[in-house]
Amino acid sequence: MVANTCTAVCLPQSLVALDWFGTAAFAFSGTLTAARQDMGVIGALFLATITALGGGTIRDLLLGEGGQAFWIKEVMYFRVVLLTCVLTLLAWPSLAKFFKLEDSAWPFCFADAMGLAAFAICGARTGLDSGVGIEGASLSGLLSACGGGIIRDVITNEPPRALHANRSAYATPALIGALIYVVLREGGVQETVALWTGFSFGLGMRIVAFSLDIAPLKARLRESEWESVVTDLVKLKPAR
């Protein structure tokens, strides 16, 4: 999960609100992960920031946006992360106990899905505005949506959920949502229509994935192909 730079100038106000909401949702996820890893307060803030803002930062560097990171220019992103981190550390234990909440509950998954879809669209739009093509802009959306979560998982020595097929599909909805937006916009569809179509597809696919526990396709060779590879390796084995 990762936030993305998109201001009210370039997005409908409703999608801008989802951008802020998603930033808080991802910062919440990063803070809880830090707490489970017995990190200190600074560690929790660091992981929350990485989760919410890391992918967008890398995206801007790859796109050559240069200068300052987007959340340095638009400091409100970091303020949202900071506030979310503090409130999570102070209030979440009591709220979770009183209301018997778990961060894997449906409302939190839905909030995460909205953030994922919004960031994918924002990232794809940033890519297009930077002059890259359809492929680059779509991957820009994917990186914006999933990059921070991948970095978080690597830091905490966990298998990155966006890259593995043992959990419900995460990166796939983000990529498809971004791709739909990019294709529609490049095809001349009105900006607002393209934005909300891509967002809706990304959100809907993620909701279906975690509701029905649908995992992405596994990257594995078919058995016949694997046997062929093994056979070829055996043939290449030098004789003693």
Side-chain angles (χ1 to χ4, degrees), residues 30 34 39-52 81 85 151 155:
M39 293 186 179
V41 174
I42 298 300
L45 178 59
F46 176 80
L47 208 60
T49 303
I50 287 293
T51 305
V81 172
C85 180
I151 299 172
I155 290 175

Side-chain angles (χ1 to χ4, degrees), residues 129-210:
D129 291 344
S130 297
V132 300
I134 292 178
E135 298 88 348
S138 300
L139 292 175
S140 176
L142 175 64
L143 179 59
S144 299
C146 302
I150 292 173
I151 299 172
R152 174 204 62 206
D153 292 341
V154 170
I155 290 175
T156 56
N157 200 30
E158 296 288 339
R161 65 166 302 163
L163 303 181
H164 287 259
N166 59 346
R167 300 178 66 179
S168 59
Y170 197 84
T172 304
L175 178 60
I176 292 180
L179 178 61
I180 289 174
Y181 161 71
V182 170
V183 170
L184 290 178
R185 176 173 155 175
E186 291 295 279
V189 176
Q190 184 182 4
E191 174 74 5
T192 302
V193 174
L195 282 170
W196 284 111
T197 302
F199 173 81
S200 299
F201 267 91
L203 175 62
M205 289 184 64
R206 176 58 190 146
I207 290 176
V208 170
F210 72 70

Side-chain angles (χ1 to χ4, degrees), residues 46-149:
F46 176 80
L47 208 60
T49 303
I50 287 293
T51 305
L53 309 177
T57 302
I58 297 174
R59 176 209 62 217
D60 288 349
L61 292 174
L62 293 176
L63 291 175
E65 294 297 299
Q68 298 174 326
F70 73 88
W71 52 275
I72 298 297
K73 297 177 182 178
E74 298 181 46
V75 71
M76 186 56 68
Y77 280 99
F78 179 71
R79 290 173 181 170
V80 170
V81 172
L82 176 61
L83 180 62
T84 302
C85 180
V86 171
L87 291 178
T88 300
L89 292 175
L90 293 177
W92 173 252
S94 298
L95 291 175
K97 183 177 180 180
F98 184 80
F99 292 103
K100 298 181 179 179
L101 296 174
E102 295 183 2
D103 63 304
S104 59
W106 198 90
F108 296 104
C109 292
F110 182 75
D112 181 84
M114 288 197 297
L116 181 80
F119 295 164
I121 300 304
C122 288
R125 194 184 196 284
T126 300
L128 288 178
D129 291 344
S130 297
V132 300
I134 292 178
E135 298 88 348
S138 300
L139 292 175
S140 176
L142 175 64
L143 179 59
S144 299
C146 302

